[in-house]
Amino acid sequence: MRALLEAVLGTALLLGIFQSGCCVRFDVKNEVNKTCLLADLSINFTANYQKGDKQAIANFPLPSGAVVDNKSSCDPPVLAITFGVGYSLSINFNKSETEYHINQVVFTYNVSDLNTFPDSSENGTKQVSSNKAEISAKTSNYYQCTSPHLIIMGNANATFHNVKLEAYFTGTDYTGNATLCKEDVTPTTAPTTTAPTTTAPTTVPTRPPTTAPVVPKTPDTGDYRVNGSSGAPCILAKMGLQLNITAKKDDKNVTYVFNIDPKQVEAKGNCSGNYAALRLASKDVDLLFNFTLNSTESKFFLGHVHLNTTVPETFNIDSGSLSYLQTTTHKSYKCNSEQTFQITDSFSINTYNLQIQAFDIDGNKFGPAVDCTEDQNGMLVPIVVGAALAGLVLIVLIAYLIGRKRSHAGYQTI
Ligand SMILES: *[C@@H]1O[C@H](CO)[C@@H](O)[C@H](O)[C@H]1NC(C)=O
Ligand SMILES: *[C@@H]1O[C@H](CO)[C@@H](O)[C@H](O)[C@H]1NC(C)=O
Ligand SMILES: *[C@@H]1O[C@H](CO)[C@@H](O)[C@H](O)[C@H]1NC(C)=O
Ligand SMILES: *[C@@H]1O[C@H](CO)[C@@H](O)[C@H](O)[C@H]1NC(C)=O
Ligand SMILES: *[C@@H]1O[C@H](CO)[C@@H](O)[C@H](O)[C@H]1NC(C)=O
Ligand SMILES: *[C@@H]1O[C@H](CO)[C@@H](O)[C@H](O)[C@H]1NC(C)=O
Ligand SMILES: *[C@@H]1O[C@H](CO)[C@@H](O)[C@H](O)[C@H]1NC(C)=O
Ligand SMILES: *[C@@H]1O[C@H](CO)[C@@H](O)[C@H](O)[C@H]1NC(C)=O
Ligand SMILES: *[C@@H]1O[C@H](CO)[C@@H](O)[C@H](O)[C@H]1NC(C)=O
């Protein structure tokens, strides 16, 4: 009875901690208790973590129990928030002559917390950050954004929504004018998708608005190999690659989606120590995947991506640090289903028929495959059908055996 009560209370507490409606108010005060920073925040977090050999994603909101931490300050303005067991968010502000803005967001989360990260096989806290929050307001205005605003930090992302905040604050409540975020000002229009070979996006508006965007077909699968100094492979990759770049053009977002043609690119690269690089280069595109080895954890992961293109336009995009495709060494990561890897907020890569392994490769071929979650879900249907068929065969067999026994018994009585 007591255990039940405790369980109910515990669940209620848990729900209480990780549940929030609109907005938690935070207020940073100076030495004389005057507010210098005021913020009403609602945030949805997503964070990647390891669940056994698989990657999983946890979703959780900023809980209403979040509080301002003493790492907050007025000069420079820093809003430091803590919540739960080992979670914190630090939002740093800076200003120019005419505006102030968030110049850094740092998020720390606790992958040991099994309530938020069920079956996590990782220990401790992780930290991610972004210097591209794209949140700013005119001096003495407050910032307001009702629409969702995504801040990409790599392994964890934060979607701000229903946000109101003011730094360099002097009054008692939001009194100035509002600076609205782009999302609230411009109604979100569907991005125009242009294949690289089609001409300027200026032709797009003449098309009827109902026309579906031109998306290239599924890319061809390429087999790529990078040899280590011994001549044995240190990267093996089988994959179809589709790049997706969003660029601003005449105040419109233009989305370029194009495929990497395995026949057009040459695979180069090198491996040394804890880094293994695969570079797919043609005359127009130079795409670098840089893998990192964590030898203490016996894992490799995709730590860095760089893209240089001249077609459809000149882009030079650097990912910053990533930790995608985390896989135990001697094993390969496999995902036949389409997967999207967000590299920056304007660049993502769609992969198809992916299998990849870096560093220790036994016998010049892929090690045991670790399947992605998407493939496992896809496997469910064949497994269910297979099990049903097996059951049917068994029933027929039993019926046959019983029938045979009966007829035997019949003969004996005669
Ligand atoms: C500021 O407020 C806190 C709590 O309300 C109080 O304990 C503290 O003495 C105040 N400090 C000053 C300098 O007024
Ligand atoms: C992370 O969560 C675990 C499990 O709830 C807890 O024991 C640990 O103290 C937390 N870490 C921090 C830094 O709070
Ligand atoms: C996490 O750390 C605890 C205490 O050090 C240890 O008992 C546990 O096995 C660790 N879990 C994982 C998944 O590494
Ligand atoms: C935030 O998460 C809640 C609960 O999961 C969901 O209902 C809501 O739509 C999310 N909002 C945004 C803007 O992502
Ligand atoms: C790697 O080594 C294999 C076997 O020696 C060879 O066939 C292949 O051409 C090499 N690849 C590169 C990119 O050097
Ligand atoms: C390309 O990226 C944009 C923006 O993230 C997204 O809306 C669109 O669906 C993507 N297109 C493809 C084909 O992945
Ligand atoms: C263009 O993309 C940026 C970032 O991806 C976004 O913030 C902005 O709202 C988009 N603008 C339009 C008109 O869709
Ligand atoms: C891969 O990343 C490491 C660490 O950032 C760097 O030292 C190395 O030069 C990179 N490799 C390539 C080919 O860019
Ligand atoms: C390897 O992983 C451990 C534990 O997560 C971490 O402390 C260490 O910094 C990592 N090393 C590298 C080179 O990433």
Side-chain angles (χ1 to χ4, degrees):
M1 189 60 209
R2 213 185 119 192
L4 180 70
L5 204 68
E6 272 173 3
V8 168
L9 274 178
T11 315
L13 209 67
L14 202 79
L15 288 176
I17 289 171
F18 278 130
Q19 201 170 58
S20 67
C22 171
C23 315
V24 189
R25 174 161 285 203
F26 303 97
D27 174 331
V28 178
K29 292 189 162 75
N30 65 11
E31 318 76 57
V32 294
N33 276 353
K34 258 184 74 56
T35 299
C36 66
L37 208 167
L38 189 61
D40 293 292
L41 304 179
S42 314
I43 308 173
N44 282 3
F45 295 101
T46 61
N48 293 338
Y49 70 105
Q50 283 295 122
K51 192 170 175 175
D53 266 345
K54 315 281 176 313
Q55 277 192 67
I57 296 176
N59 296 291
F60 51 98
L62 176 71
S64 53
V67 292
V68 173
D69 184 67
N70 62 9
K71 291 191 195 78
S72 298
S73 91
C74 283
D75 190 17
V78 176
L79 172 60
I81 296 169
T82 57
F83 57 93
V85 279
Y87 296 76
S88 63
L89 180 70
S90 170
I91 302 176
N92 299 36
F93 291 85
N94 206 341
K95 67 176 171 184
S96 67
E97 256 169 45
T98 55
E99 53 102 61
Y100 63 92
H101 57 267
I102 292 180
N103 66 338
Q104 194 183 36
V105 178
V106 181
F107 178 48
T108 306
Y109 53 103
N110 184 356
V111 286
S112 301
D113 174 14
L114 299 176
N115 292 322
T116 309
F117 299 95
D119 303 321
S120 167
S121 44
E122 292 174 287
N123 249 346
T125 58
K126 290 193 158 189
Q127 196 169 73
V128 291
S129 66
S130 166
N131 299 323
K132 290 197 291 183
E134 297 192 330
I135 291 182
S136 62
K138 290 204 194 87
T139 307
S140 77
N141 273 20
Y142 63 90
Y143 167 87
Q144 185 172 346
C145 196
T146 309
S147 311
H149 177 83
L150 176 66
I151 299 179
I152 294 176
M153 297 181 273
N155 261 345
N157 297 325
T159 303
F160 282 44
H161 54 107
N162 296 311
V163 163
K164 219 172 182 184
L165 59 82
E166 185 167 354
Y168 305 95
F169 182 87
T170 51
T172 53
D173 207 339
Y174 303 106
T175 45
N177 294 322
T179 299
L180 300 181
C181 62
K182 280 178 288 180
E183 289 87 344
D184 280 2
V185 174
T186 355
T188 36
T189 51
T192 22
T193 305
T194 337
T197 43
T198 57
T199 42
T202 44
T203 58
V204 171
T206 60
R207 268 198 250 150
T210 48
T211 309
V214 185
V215 176
K217 63 173 180 56
T218 306
D220 292 338
T221 304
D223 283 296
Y224 308 107
R225 167 178 175 150
V226 175
N227 290 337
S229 48
S230 69
C234 58
I235 299 181
L236 281 181
K238 179 166 95 68
M239 55 194 175
L241 294 171
Q242 187 173 75
L243 312 188
N244 183 343
I245 304 173
T246 304
K248 221 178 193 123
K249 208 163 199 181
D250 309 326
D251 265 354
K252 275 209 195 84
N253 285 340
V254 183
T255 301
Y256 298 103
V257 178
F258 58 101
N259 294 341
I260 295 289
D261 182 354
K263 289 192 269 324
Q264 299 291 322
V265 293
E266 193 193 342
K268 303 174 188 171
N270 59 66
C271 305
S272 71
N274 291 337
Y275 297 102
L278 166 64
R279 172 169 239 149
L280 301 179
S282 69
K283 71 182 205 317
D284 304 321
V285 176
D286 185 351
L287 177 61
L288 169 79
F289 296 97
N290 197 345
F291 292 87
T292 306
L293 175 67
N294 188 326
S295 40
T296 52
E297 292 219 302
S298 301
K299 275 185 182 153
F300 67 88
F301 58 90
L302 178 60
H304 193 116
V305 171
H306 193 100
L307 173 69
N308 247 321
T309 68
T310 50
V311 172
E313 266 187 59
T314 300
F315 291 110
N316 190 341
I317 303 176
D318 195 272
S319 67
S321 66
L322 304 171
S323 58
Y324 285 134
L325 302 170
Q326 281 201 37
T327 309
T328 307
T329 46
H330 298 282
K331 293 190 177 177
S332 59
Y333 179 92
K334 190 172 180 193
C335 200
N336 287 329
S337 314
E338 178 184 348
Q339 254 194 323
T340 300
F341 297 92
Q342 197 73 41
I343 306 299
T344 68
D345 48 6
S346 61
F347 174 39
S348 60
I349 301 179
N350 300 327
T351 63
Y352 302 80
N353 300 318
L354 174 70
Q355 186 165 14
I356 204 155
Q357 183 171 353
F359 302 102
D360 301 310
I361 296 174
D362 307 317
N364 294 355
K365 58 181 201 299
F366 286 118
V370 177
D371 291 310
C372 61
T373 336
E374 289 85 342
D375 282 2
Q376 283 165 12
N377 293 344
M379 288 283 277
L380 208 59
V381 173
I383 288 172
V384 168
V385 170
L389 278 178
L392 204 66
V393 167
L394 205 67
I395 289 167
V396 169
L397 198 71
I398 290 169
Y400 167 76
L401 287 176
I402 289 173
R404 225 171 73 126
K405 209 168 170 203
R406 281 235 176 103
S407 51
H408 264 287
Y411 281 127
Q412 271 163 15
T413 52
I414 288 179

